[in-house]
C-alpha cells in the first residue's frame, strides 16, 4: 500500500503511516473499550416508588460508589440509597485512561503550588487513601486487572527535562521512590523517538481496568446493603428543613443527607457550574498488540505514562496488550455533555496522528475503539467538597482528569463534612476552600476555545500561544 502523510499534520513533523488515520479508525467502535465487555453487569431496576434513606448518594461513578461503601463501612446503621441517571460507570469513570496516580491533588507539584503549608498532611492523606483503596479491593475480592507498576512522565523535548528534574527533586524531598531517566534509559523502558527523558515514580501508582473497578465497587456496595437504582435520574430536589426530598421520574427519596457525586452534570446546586468546567477528553484503544509488535515498543515495565506537552497525551497497556492512548481535550458551548463531534470518526484523527507520531514503529496497528468523556475541570485541578442546604448536602468533584484513586478521598472528605465527623483533612485548606469561579458563557466558551487552540501549538511555536497559557496559569488554573 502506498505511504500516506497523516492529515492535519504539518509535513515537517509528519510520520508516515502506511494505513492513514482514516483507515486505521475505519472499524473503530465509537464506544469506550472498557464498557464494551461481557463482564458488564445487567443494570439494576430503576426506583419506581417513594422511599426513605439516611443517606442518598446521587451518581454511580467512582465518587458515588466510594461514598456509599465508606458510609456503610463506617456507619453500618445508615440506610443508604444510590441513584444513577444511566448505568453505573457510564460517566467519566468507565471512560478513564485508568492510570492510578499516587497523588490526590493532581500531582505533588500542584499540591505544593496550592497548599504549601499543608503538604505533609496531604501526602499522609494520599498514602492512607491508596492503602484504603488497595485494602478495599482485597476485602471484596475485586479483580480489576490492577498492575502496580508506577506512573511515568516522559519529556517530549529537551526543554522539558528541566521540569522533570525539578519534579524529581520535589518527589525525593517527600520520600517518593522516583528515578530520573535519560534518553537511553527511557528508550529501554519504552521506545519512542519523541522521548528525551522520564521521571518514573515506582510505587503506589499503576494501571487499572476502570470499568471492572466500578463494577466491583457496585458489587461491594450491594453486599453491604446499599440500595442501588440505575436509570434513575434526579430531576429536582426540595429542602424540607430537616430533610431533603429528591424527585426521580417514577419515584421519590426523602433523605436526611445527600452526597452529590455527579461530576460535570448540572444538578441544580447554586454556583457549582461556575466552579466546574465540563471539558471533553478523548481516548483511543488499539487492537491487541502481537508479541512482535509489543517487542518493537519495549514497555516491559508496563507503567502508566503521561507526556509533558501542554496538550498532553497519556497511554498504558491493557491486560490484553491493547494500547489505550488518550488526551485531546476540547470544550463545547455550555459544557454540552453529548457533543455530536464525539460520534464522528474525524474527531479522533488528530489523536490517531499523535499516536503514530509517538510510536511510528506501530504504523501497522489499527484502532478498535474511540470515545470521549467528561472532565470536571476546576481552577485548583483537584477535588473539592462543598456543603449545601445548610450542611444536609455536599457536592464532591473537580478531579480535573485525576480521579481514579482520588475519588475515594473525595468521597471520604464529603462524608466527613456531611456527618460532621472529626477528620484531619477538615483542618486543612483543601476542605475549607473551594476553587474559584470560572467566567460564565459566552466568555467561558471564548476563553476555552482560545486556550485549547493555544494548547495545540504552544510547545512548538511559543509566541502568543505560550503567553496566553502563562496568563491562564497566572490566574491560578493548572496547565
Ligand atoms: C477520557 C478520560 C480519561 C481519564 N483518565 C484518567 C486517568 O487515567 N486517571 C485518573 O486518575 N483519572 C482519569 N480520568 C478522571 C476520572 O475518570 C474521574 O475523575 C472520575 O471517574 C470521576 O468520578 P465521578 O464519580 O466523580 O464522576 P462520574 O464517573 O462522571 O460519575 C458521575 C455520575 O453521576 C451521574 N449523574 C449525573 N447527573 C445525575 C442525576 N441528575 N441523577 C443521577 N445521576 C446523575 C452520571 O450519569 C455519572 O454516572 C479520566 C476521565 C476521562 C473522561
Amino acid at each position: 500500500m502506498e505511504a500516506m502523510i497523516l492529515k492535519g499534520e504539518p509535513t515537517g513533523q509528519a510520520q508516515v503511516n502506511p494505513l492513514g488515520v482514516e483507515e486505521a479508525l475505519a472499524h473503530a467502535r465509537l464506544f469506550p473499550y472498557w464498557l464494551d465487555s461481557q463482564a458488564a453487569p445487567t443494570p439494576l431496576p430503576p426506583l419506581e416508588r417513594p422511599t426513605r434513606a439516611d443517606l442518598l448518594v446521587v451518581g454511580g461513578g467512582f465518587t458515588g460508589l466510594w461514598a456509599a461503601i465508606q458510609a456503610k463501612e463506617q456507619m453500618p446503621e445508615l440506610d443508604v440509597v444510590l441513584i444513577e441517571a444511566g448505568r453505573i460507570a457510564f460517566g467519566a469513570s468507565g471512560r478513564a485512561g485508568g492510570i492510578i496516580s499516587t497523588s490526590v491533588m493532581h500531582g505533588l507539584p500542584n499540591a505544593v503550588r496550592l497548599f504549601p503549608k499543608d503538604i505533609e498532611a496531604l501526602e499522609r492523606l494520599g498514602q492512607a487513601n491508596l492503602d484504603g483503596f488497595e485494602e478495599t479491593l482485597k476485602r471484596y475480592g475485586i479483580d480489576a486487572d490492577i498492575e502496580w507498576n508506577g506512573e511515568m512522565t516522559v519529556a517530549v523535548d529537551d526543554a522539558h527535562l528541566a521540569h522533570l528534574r525539578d519534579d524529581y527533586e520535589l518527589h525525593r524531598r517527600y520520600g517518593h521512590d522516583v528515578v530520573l531517566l535519560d534518553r537511553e534509559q527511557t528508550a529501554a523502558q519504552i521506545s519512542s523517538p519523541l522521548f528525551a527523558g522520564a521521571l518514573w515514580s515506582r510505587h503506589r501508582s499503576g494501571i487499572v481496568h476502570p470499568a471492572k473497578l466500578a463494577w466491583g465497587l457496585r458489587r461491594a456496595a450491594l453486599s453491604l446493603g446499599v440500595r442501588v437504582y440505575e436509570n434513575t435520574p434526579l430531576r429536582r430536589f426540595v429542602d424540607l428543613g430537616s430533610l431533603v426530598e429528591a424527585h426521580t421520574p417514577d419515584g421519590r427519596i426523602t433523605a436526611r443527607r445527600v452526597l452529590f457525586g455527579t461530576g460535570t452534570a448540572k444538578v441544580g446546586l447554586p454556583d457549582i457550574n461556575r466552579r466546574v468546567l465540563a471539558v471533553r477528553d478523548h481516548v483511543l484503544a488499539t487492537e491487541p498488540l502481537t508479541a512482535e509488535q509489543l517487542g518493537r515498543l519495549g514497555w516491559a515495565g508496563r507503567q502508566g505514562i503521561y507526556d509533558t506537552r501542554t496538550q498532553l497525551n497519556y497511554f498504558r497497556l491493557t491486560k490484553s496488550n491493547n494500547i489505550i492512548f488518550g488526551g485531546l481535550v476540547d470544550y463545547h458551548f455550555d459544557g454540552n455533555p453529548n457533543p455530536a463531534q464525539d460520534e464522528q470518526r474525524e474527531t479522533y484523527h488528530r489523536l490517531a496522528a499523535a499516536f503514530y507520531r509517538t510510536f511510528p514503529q506501530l504504523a501497522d496497528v489499527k484502532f478498535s475503539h474511540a470515545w470521549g468523556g467528561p472532565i470536571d475541570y476546576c481552577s485548583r485541578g483537584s477535588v473539592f467538597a462543598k456543603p449545601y442546604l445548610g450542611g444536609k448536602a455536599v457536592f464532591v468533584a473537580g478531579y480535573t482528569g485525576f480521579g481514579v484513586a482520588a475519588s475515594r478521598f473525595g468521597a471520604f472528605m464529603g462524608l466527613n463534612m456531611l456527618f460532621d465527623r472529626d477528620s484531619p483533612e477538615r483542618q486543612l485548606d483543601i476542605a475549607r476552600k473551594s476553587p474559584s469561579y470560572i467566567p460564565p458563557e459566552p466568555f467561558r466558551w471564548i476563553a476555552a476555545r482560545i486556550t485549547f487552540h493555544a494548547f495545540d501549538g504552544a510547545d512548538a511555536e511559543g509566541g502568543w500561544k505560550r503567553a496566553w497559557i502563562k496568563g491562564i496559569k497566572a490566574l491560578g488554573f493548572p496547565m
Side-chain angles (χ1 to χ4, degrees), residues 51 85 89-90 139 153 167 206 225 260 271 296 334 354 384 392 413:
T51 188
F90 272 53
R139 192 157 54 249
T153 309
D167 285 0
F260 288 89
D271 92 348
R296 293 183 218 154
D334 208 18
F384 68 97
K392 293 191 293 298
M413 186 160 68

Side-chain angles (χ1 to χ4, degrees), residues 294-360:
L294 203 53
R296 293 183 218 154
L297 260 188
W299 213 349
R302 301 177 62 86
Q303 305 89 337
I305 302 182
Y306 324 92
D307 70 33
T308 50
R309 270 180 286 226
T310 310
Q311 174 71 283
L312 73 85
N313 290 123
Y314 49 88
F315 26 96
R316 44 88 41 107
L317 290 165
T318 68
K319 195 177 175 184
S320 322
N321 292 327
N322 315 67
I323 298 178
I324 303 295
F325 189 89
L328 183 64
V329 284
D330 207 350
Y331 179 73
H332 299 277
F333 192 80
D334 208 18
N336 179 2
N338 296 306
Q341 286 89 334
D342 281 12
E343 302 305 317
Q344 291 158 4
R345 235 163 263 279
E346 304 78 61
T347 299
Y348 303 91
H349 284 183
R350 277 174 54 216
L351 189 56
F355 174 88
Y356 293 119
R357 208 163 50 242
T358 311
F359 302 122

Side-chain angles (χ1 to χ4, degrees), residues 34 57-65 82-101 103 206 208 210 229 231-236 248 260-267 279-283 306 314 316 326-327 371-376 396-407:
W34 310 114
V57 177
V58 187
F62 292 139
T63 302
L65 291 163
L82 184 152
I83 57 170
E84 161 54 46
R87 291 180 63 179
I88 295 288
F90 272 53
S93 299
R95 295 165 185 272
I99 300 176
I100 303 173
S101 178
S103 172
V208 63
Y229 299 97
N231 294 308
T232 304
L234 173 75
R235 284 280 159 80
R236 65 187 176 91
T248 66
F260 288 89
T262 42
T264 54
K266 292 186 174 156
V267 284
V279 171
R280 296 298 289 182
D281 194 8
H282 299 89
V283 189
Y306 324 92
Y314 49 88
R316 44 88 41 107
W371 67 96
I375 301 271
D376 46 346
V396 181
Y399 305 98
T400 315
F402 278 75
V404 166
S407 48

Side-chain angles (χ1 to χ4, degrees), residues 139-346:
R139 192 157 54 249
Y140 297 101
I142 298 173
D143 177 4
D145 301 345
I146 291 198
E147 299 181 45
W148 294 105
N149 296 330
E151 56 186 330
M152 196 157 93
T153 309
V154 289
V156 290
D157 185 324
D158 286 333
H160 295 184
L161 287 171
H163 297 301
L164 289 195
R165 270 193 290 274
D166 291 348
D167 285 0
Y168 170 72
E169 296 301 336
L170 187 64
H171 282 84
R172 296 272 299 183
R173 202 176 317 145
Y174 290 100
H176 290 242
D177 175 11
V178 283
V179 282
L180 197 57
L181 308 179
D182 64 18
R183 190 178 282 275
E184 285 68 40
Q185 290 164 327
T186 306
Q189 292 300 325
I190 182 163
S191 168
S192 165
L194 297 186
F195 302 160
L199 177 68
W200 180 11
S201 176
R202 291 186 293 194
H203 284 296
R204 313 191 68 80
S205 50
I207 50 176
V208 63
H209 186 308
K212 281 194 186 172
L213 172 60
W215 296 330
L217 294 175
R218 170 196 189 258
R219 188 164 41 75
L222 291 170
S223 76
L224 287 163
V226 176
R227 288 183 283 146
V228 178
Y229 299 97
E230 291 182 65
N231 294 308
T232 304
L234 173 75
R235 284 280 159 80
R236 65 187 176 91
F237 54 85
V238 185
D239 185 351
L240 298 179
S242 59
L243 298 168
V244 181
E245 191 174 75
H247 293 257
T248 66
D250 300 309
R252 187 173 73 235
I253 308 113
T254 311
R256 280 203 303 126
R257 296 282 182 272
V258 184
L259 186 141
F260 288 89
T262 42
T264 54
K266 292 186 174 156
V267 284
L269 291 171
D271 92 348
I272 213 66
N273 295 101
R274 291 196 61 191
R275 297 180 194 272
V276 175
L277 179 74
V279 171
R280 296 298 289 182
D281 194 8
H282 299 89
V283 189
L284 298 171
T286 67
E287 290 173 341
L289 301 193
T290 63
E292 188 275 323
Q293 287 167 331
L294 203 53
R296 293 183 218 154
L297 260 188
W299 213 349
R302 301 177 62 86
Q303 305 89 337
I305 302 182
Y306 324 92
D307 70 33
T308 50
R309 270 180 286 226
T310 310
Q311 174 71 283
L312 73 85
N313 290 123
Y314 49 88
F315 26 96
R316 44 88 41 107
L317 290 165
T318 68
K319 195 177 175 184
S320 322
N321 292 327
N322 315 67
I323 298 178
I324 303 295
F325 189 89
L328 183 64
V329 284
D330 207 350
Y331 179 73
H332 299 277
F333 192 80
D334 208 18
N336 179 2
N338 296 306
Q341 286 89 334
D342 281 12
E343 302 305 317
Q344 291 158 4
R345 235 163 263 279
E346 304 78 61

Side-chain angles (χ1 to χ4, degrees), residues 14-47:
Q15 294 297 335
V16 177
N17 167 24
L19 296 170
V21 286
E22 280 163 41
E23 197 179 331
L25 278 161
H27 300 290
R29 202 175 160 209
L30 302 184
F31 188 71
Y33 166 83
W34 310 114
L35 297 170
D36 189 10
S37 163
Q38 300 289 337
T42 310
L44 293 156
L47 179 68

